[in-house]
Amino acid sequence: MTSQPKITPIEDGPLMVTDVPNLRDGVGETIEAGAKMALCRCGLSANKPFCDGSHNAAGFSSTSDKSKIRNTPIQYAGAVDGTQVTVHYTPVLCSHAGECVKATRAIFDPSRKPWVIPENGKMTDLLAAVSNCPSGALRVEVTKTEPQHMVNGDVDLMVEQNGPYRVKNVRLDAEFNGAGASQTKYVLCRCGLSNNKPFCDGSHFDEGWKDGSA
């Protein structure tokens, strides 16, 4: 029987990862790792992405004040290629990766208000942007169907440079917080600053955290 990949957040400690077939860095290069590994989530390890026990000396806490998170989805509706769509955005799930902006700035542009205007682009671009969103913060509803995250079937664990762990199709032993959160693609905090642990809430971006931070 083939073991299923799994991630287990250890209380006040690292992320224990088992049977994930590939661990890669932000440019797609494979990081050598075993079938079981402990990944740093306090942001302090000198051996990132692996845990070196720094969380113990630092008194790292895996709990967070979830009263500070914005957990209400925001909806942006419009007609795209003649079809009514609604984009659902849950701020607390967003890691500020900017993949949606890279896919189509016509639709997603944080420099304006509203920052999402579905009718400014084409359906193929909109669906690609939602699919590229690593955190599940974006979902798309087409003609009143159930909102979709758009996830492919690959198992993947990627260490984003100066950012979180991007995960696809790996079971997580934790409660999923965030309205409309996806259980098949999500991002896990690596800097130790998130108010939505074990998930990333974009705090690394807001605080200017870097891989070399210690």
Side-chain angles (χ1 to χ4, degrees), residues 99-190:
E99 298 294 349
C100 55
V101 179
K102 295 173 189 175
T104 170
R105 184 174 283 274
I107 297 176
F108 300 94
D109 186 348
S111 68
R112 71 179 178 218
K113 292 184 179 181
W115 78 283
V116 182
I117 304 179
E119 61 266 30
N120 276 9
K122 296 184 176 297
M123 185 70 76
T124 53
D125 295 333
L126 173 60
L127 296 182
V130 174
S131 178
N132 290 348
C133 173
S135 66
L138 291 175
R139 295 174 291 153
V140 61
E141 173 187 342
V142 180
T143 57
K144 298 184 179 180
T145 59
E146 281 296 313
Q148 301 293 315
H149 288 102
M150 312 295 293
V151 188
N152 65 34
D154 297 330
V155 174
D156 194 39
L157 175 53
M158 191 265 272
V159 184
E160 181 183 319
Q161 184 177 17
N162 303 325
Y165 299 105
R166 298 187 185 188
V167 188
K168 284 195 298 185
N169 298 304
V170 178
R171 182 164 66 89
L172 180 68
D173 283 345
E175 179 182 354
F176 279 79
N177 187 62
S182 169
Q183 296 189 21
T184 51
K185 71 171 179 179
Y186 51 87
V187 286
L188 298 176
C189 176
R190 191 160 72 91

